[in-house]
Amino acid sequence: MVRIKKSPSQNISIEDVAKRAGVSITTVSRVINKLPSVKGKNKQKVLDAVKELNFQPSVLAQRLATGKSNVIALVVPRYEGMFYSFYLLELLRGIGTLCEVLKLDLLLRLTDASSVISFRGVGGVIFADIITNRQQLEQALSQKLPVVVINNYVKDLDVTCIAVDNKLGGIQAVDYLVSLGHKKIAHITGDVITQAAADRLAGYKEALVKNNIALRQDYIFQTDYSRGAARIAAEKMLKMADAPSAVFVASDSMALEVMAVARELGKKIPEDLSIIGFDDNPSGLYGAISLTTIRQPLVKMAQESVKELNQLMASKNKEVKKIILPTELVIRESCQSI
Amino acid sequence: MVRIKKSPSQNISIEDVAKRAGVSITTVSRVINKLPSVKGKNKQKVLDAVKELNFQPSVLAQRLATGKSNVIALVVPRYEGMFYSFYLLELLRGIGTLCEVLKLDLLLRLTDASSVISFRGVGGVIFADIITNRQQLEQALSQKLPVVVINNYVKDLDVTCIAVDNKLGGIQAVDYLVSLGHKKIAHITGDVITQAAADRLAGYKEALVKNNIALRQDYIFQTDYSRGAARIAAEKMLKMADAPSAVFVASDSMALEVMAVARELGKKIPEDLSIIGFDDNPSGLYGAISLTTIRQPLVKMAQESVKELNQLMASKNKEVKKIILPTELVIRESCQSI
DNA sequence: CTGAAAGCGCTAACAA
DNA sequence: TTGTTAGCGCTTTCAG
């Protein structure tokens, strides 16, 4: 029998270190895991050997042995709108950066809502939103995995959620417009299959009611977050006999499109039409007049999610939190009092 | 001694399957690895057991045993400009989708150029560009890892590269402008620390020479790909005493900004200024007049990279390829003959 | 065609 | 404080 030990593998193992340091592999293991029990002298020998051999423990073996994993999967529903916005980019920036710091491995999974995901070897999961892929979330939960959901407040499931208060955002937008004297306020929605868009719409409605303004169905234009849809909606809206004097648009990139359409139709902004967006997308800063908008803390949300997940993964007590981050009105130049 | 076998772990193992099917674990292993040797009857029993138990082999253990890994790391230099453009998003879309299909694990590493990356447990690496992080590339290479570099033609290193022919793109842009009768052609560059931007600039210069047009340094405006920088450049350019009649802008998002500035300054497009961008970013489609641009096959490049890497990982023969994908002129409305 | 057993690199009782 | 040893779940000789 006796299998010949593999060719002097490129990767040096804990055994090599042990030999080099003249101790057992257990001792080496203790040192690299920072267990306090190893005495100064041996410890130093190990440390030296590690340095000299440039040893890096095999994460795989560690995981296999401990059953623990420092891999977190980021599940991104392959939803078209995901690639229109800068949402994903901001998320990635926040999550990726923090993972790098916390030494977590970030596994990216762009999945179709219907597919069943394998979470083997994964220590925790972040859902970059829930869009028709609720079953994947339930699957992860049923496997007792630590899970955090971003951008979606899942109230009926025992899972940690970190979302933006989109409804509040909608209210802030409309309240501001009302404070400027507007009564004829339209809303161009995002794709209402996303909770974010639905909530913004809900906020819009609630604020109107609160301000004693009658809700007009013909002032609500549903889109899918794309600029193309925004253009169509804007044209329809601006050509109305009784066109609105202000519009709350569900995303900055769409708002920019609306602005462009308005100009093409000879409308001046903000004189003829006040526009408020949503996102605080830097693109809104440029252009003839800068875009008033509702800021949502995307990067913060992303980073919080990693922190929370990390905690869930580390501790035994699985305390579920529901975190809602507030939005903020950012006043620039695209709105004017009437 | 005798450690009690772990609590009936959630995850069922190959052993459970073997027991259930009444065969050895070796046989099960053979079946799941599709080795042809297992006889019909046993094979069926195993397959059934796998189904009934919903068994999914532990990737970790597989890797540990084989020394092979199906994890690919996507190294993204944490460079600001990376987050301005839609470059990364397109890349991710292409790479992520294909990884899902090929059952490869996609590890995302947003790193600072200076940091040393650990590639343990990683079976292959894709660099999403090389921007001051060449040493990381060399590190990966020295570890004999299969590597593919995207968007950067590294000529002096023995590594597979898949890049866009940015120089050609620059030439196509200028040639087109020249064909419309333009002589006074400016260029707003991207961040020339990126090879892409440098090559586009080179293409611009070469095309001018080729067309017997004198190169004017004051017609070259260097930026960092941001819309802010584009705005500044555009203002400076349009206020020149001897302003150009056409401009080639290194990215669509910057080109849109230039367009906006031009309009603000009372210039008509394309009557007073012809603009051609680079990227074929969908944003260029909307707006009063659509943007003429140079299309680069980002998603294709991304997918190619995964395919190539997958091959490198699978076969022993490490054939290095240098792939250059052509760009394509997309004529829309922002340019006019003079 | 099938199974026994060694080993991948590491951790964690248990002894010493 | 340190070492011995049994797994973690799987692959892969080598025998049968």
Side-chain angles (χ1 to χ4, degrees):
Chain A
M1 225 286 143
V2 181
R3 189 153 55 157
I4 287 85
K5 186 160 168 96
K6 277 199 179 137
S7 58
S9 69
Q10 295 292 356
N11 286 328
I12 40 116
S13 79
I14 196 172
E15 196 184 340
D16 305 319
V17 179
K19 221 168 277 172
R20 181 97 153 121
V23 297
S24 74
I25 60 172
T26 313
T27 300
V28 176
S29 171
R30 287 183 179 118
V31 172
I32 65 181
N33 287 303
K34 303 198 199 310
L35 296 196
S37 65
V38 183
K39 230 176 49 185
K41 198 171 162 187
N42 272 341
K43 182 169 176 178
Q44 197 50 53
K45 280 197 290 187
V46 172
L47 255 22
D48 289 346
V50 166
K51 194 117 294 174
E52 288 162 29
L53 271 44
N54 187 27
F55 166 71
Q56 292 183 289
S58 156
V59 202
L60 263 65
Q62 286 181 163
R63 275 179 220 154
L64 187 56
T66 57
K68 285 174 192 166
S69 158
N70 66 334
V71 174
I72 76 177
L74 176 63
V75 178
V76 180
R78 201 203 331 287
Y79 156 70
E80 263 305 305
M82 199 58 105
F83 295 96
Y84 295 151
S85 71
F86 78 139
Y87 172 72
L88 186 54
L89 228 37
E90 290 288 283
L91 230 55
L92 247 24
R93 197 213 296 248
I95 294 178
T97 306
L98 206 49
C99 280
E100 219 53 36
V101 174
L102 297 177
K103 305 284 180 204
L104 293 171
D105 279 354
L106 210 209
L107 213 52
L108 198 64
R109 327 256 314 169
L110 292 192
T111 74
D112 287 317
S114 57
S115 55
V116 177
I117 314 180
S118 164
F119 289 122
R120 282 208 77 155
V122 167
V125 184
I126 297 180
F127 282 85
D129 203 341
I130 300 294
I131 307 175
T132 73
N133 61 330
R134 206 187 129 107
Q135 57 117 346
Q136 294 177 335
L137 169 59
E138 286 168 1
Q139 182 201 340
L141 253 24
S142 75
Q143 290 183 228
K144 308 283 181 213
L145 277 169
V147 172
V148 172
V149 174
I150 296 187
N151 208 35
N152 207 305
Y153 187 92
V154 184
K155 42 175 89 67
D156 58 329
L157 246 32
D158 201 35
V159 58
T160 292
C161 299
I162 307 185
V164 163
D165 198 339
N166 285 293
K167 190 168 166 189
L168 170 66
I171 295 177
Q172 288 173 326
V174 173
D175 275 354
Y176 174 60
L177 259 15
V178 170
S179 78
L180 293 177
H182 291 279
K183 303 271 183 209
K184 291 155 63 176
I185 301 171
H187 179 36
I188 295 181
T189 76
D191 192 335
V192 291
I193 70 165
T194 67
Q195 190 185 59
D199 284 357
R200 289 169 203 176
L201 173 58
Y204 162 81
K205 290 181 176 171
E206 186 172 315
L208 285 186
V209 170
K210 197 180 69 178
N211 288 293
N212 291 312
I213 298 178
L215 190 68
R216 290 179 54 163
Q217 284 302 333
D218 59 342
Y219 273 4
I220 298 178
F221 302 85
Q222 293 210 179
T223 78
D224 60 2
Y225 276 126
S226 75
R227 294 185 76 126
R231 167 160 292 262
I232 294 170
E235 284 170 353
K236 199 187 298 180
M237 177 181 84
L238 292 168
K239 287 174 179 163
M240 284 177 75
D242 187 24
S245 65
V247 59
F248 161 43
V249 188
S251 85
D252 279 357
S253 81
M254 289 201 295
L256 291 174
E257 195 59 34
V258 175
M259 239 184 201
V261 173
R263 277 207 214 89
E264 291 163 32
L265 295 178
K267 309 265 182 198
K268 279 201 155 279
I269 292 171
E271 292 80 356
D272 302 328
L273 179 70
S274 284
I275 300 185
I276 181 167
F278 205 110
D279 271 349
D280 194 23
N281 185 326
S283 310
L285 275 171
Y286 311 110
I289 57 151
S290 57
L291 187 66
T292 290
T293 190
I294 301 292
R295 171 180 301 152
Q296 57 171 337
L298 250 29
V299 174
K300 175 160 188 215
M301 181 169 75
Q303 305 202 128
E304 282 304 311
S305 73
V306 178
K307 276 188 214 158
E308 285 302 326
L309 186 61
N310 195 38
Q311 260 173 239
L312 283 177
M313 286 166 60
S315 67
K316 277 293 89 179
N317 112 50
K318 307 304 188 192
E319 190 201 349
V320 164
K321 294 186 194 168
K322 301 283 186 186
I323 302 174
I324 305 260
L325 303 173
T327 52
E328 187 189 342
L329 173 66
V330 180
I331 299 179
R332 291 203 278 255
E333 308 166 343
S334 61
C335 296
Q336 179 180 297
S337 58
I338 204 167
Chain B
M1 224 288 143
V2 180
R3 187 151 58 157
I4 289 86
K5 182 153 171 102
K6 277 196 182 143
S7 57
S9 70
Q10 295 292 353
N11 289 328
I12 41 117
S13 79
I14 196 173
E15 196 185 339
D16 305 319
V17 179
K19 221 168 278 171
R20 182 96 155 122
V23 296
S24 75
I25 59 173
T26 313
T27 299
V28 176
S29 172
R30 286 187 179 114
V31 172
I32 64 181
N33 287 303
K34 305 197 198 308
L35 296 196
S37 66
V38 184
K39 229 179 44 188
K41 197 171 162 189
N42 272 341
K43 183 169 175 179
Q44 197 50 53
K45 281 198 287 185
V46 171
L47 254 21
D48 289 347
V50 166
K51 195 116 290 174
E52 288 162 28
L53 270 44
N54 186 27
F55 166 70
Q56 292 182 286
S58 157
V59 202
L60 264 66
Q62 287 182 160
R63 274 178 221 155
L64 188 54
T66 57
K68 285 175 193 166
S69 159
N70 65 335
V71 174
I72 77 176
L74 176 63
V75 179
V76 179
R78 201 200 332 291
Y79 156 70
E80 262 306 306
M82 199 58 108
F83 295 95
Y84 294 151
S85 70
F86 79 139
Y87 172 73
L88 186 54
L89 228 38
E90 290 289 283
L91 231 56
L92 247 24
R93 196 213 297 247
I95 294 178
T97 306
L98 206 50
C99 281
E100 220 51 41
V101 173
L102 297 177
K103 303 286 180 203
L104 292 172
D105 279 354
L106 211 209
L107 212 53
L108 197 64
R109 329 255 319 172
L110 292 191
T111 73
D112 288 316
S114 57
S115 55
V116 177
I117 315 180
S118 165
F119 288 121
R120 281 207 78 153
V122 167
V125 184
I126 297 179
F127 283 85
D129 204 343
I130 299 295
I131 307 176
T132 72
N133 62 328
R134 207 187 129 105
Q135 57 117 346
Q136 293 177 337
L137 169 58
E138 287 168 1
Q139 181 201 338
L141 253 24
S142 75
Q143 289 182 227
K144 309 282 182 215
L145 278 168
V147 172
V148 171
V149 175
I150 297 187
N151 207 34
N152 207 303
Y153 187 90
V154 184
K155 42 176 90 64
D156 58 331
L157 249 31
D158 200 35
V159 59
T160 292
C161 299
I162 306 183
V164 162
D165 198 340
N166 285 293
K167 192 169 166 189
L168 171 65
I171 295 176
Q172 288 172 326
V174 173
D175 275 355
Y176 175 60
L177 260 12
V178 170
S179 78
L180 293 177
H182 291 279
K183 303 269 181 212
K184 291 156 64 177
I185 302 171
H187 178 36
I188 295 181
T189 76
D191 193 335
V192 290
I193 69 166
T194 67
Q195 191 186 60
D199 283 357
R200 289 169 203 175
L201 173 58
Y204 162 81
K205 289 180 177 171
E206 186 172 313
L208 286 186
V209 170
K210 195 181 69 178
N211 288 293
N212 291 313
I213 298 179
L215 191 69
R216 292 179 53 163
Q217 283 303 331
D218 60 343
Y219 272 3
I220 298 178
F221 301 86
Q222 294 211 178
T223 77
D224 59 2
Y225 276 126
S226 74
R227 295 184 76 124
R231 168 160 289 264
I232 293 169
E235 284 170 352
K236 201 188 294 180
M237 177 181 84
L238 292 168
K239 286 175 180 163
M240 285 176 75
D242 188 22
S245 65
V247 59
F248 161 43
V249 189
S251 86
D252 279 358
S253 83
M254 290 201 296
L256 291 174
E257 193 61 33
V258 175
M259 238 184 203
V261 173
R263 277 208 213 87
E264 291 163 32
L265 295 177
K267 309 263 182 200
K268 279 203 156 280
I269 291 172
E271 292 80 357
D272 302 329
L273 179 70
S274 283
I275 300 185
I276 182 167
F278 204 109
D279 271 352
D280 194 24
N281 184 326
S283 310
L285 275 171
Y286 309 110
I289 58 148
S290 57
L291 188 65
T292 290
T293 190
I294 302 292
R295 173 180 301 153
Q296 55 171 338
L298 251 27
V299 174
K300 174 157 189 221
M301 180 169 75
Q303 305 201 132
E304 282 304 310
S305 74
V306 177
K307 276 187 214 156
E308 285 301 326
L309 187 60
N310 196 37
Q311 260 173 240
L312 284 177
M313 285 165 60
S315 67
K316 277 294 86 178
N317 112 50
K318 307 302 188 195
E319 190 201 349
V320 163
K321 294 187 194 167
K322 303 281 185 186
I323 302 173
I324 305 262
L325 303 173
T327 52
E328 185 189 343
L329 173 66
V330 179
I331 299 179
R332 290 203 278 256
E333 307 166 344
S334 61
C335 295
Q336 179 178 298
S337 59
I338 203 167

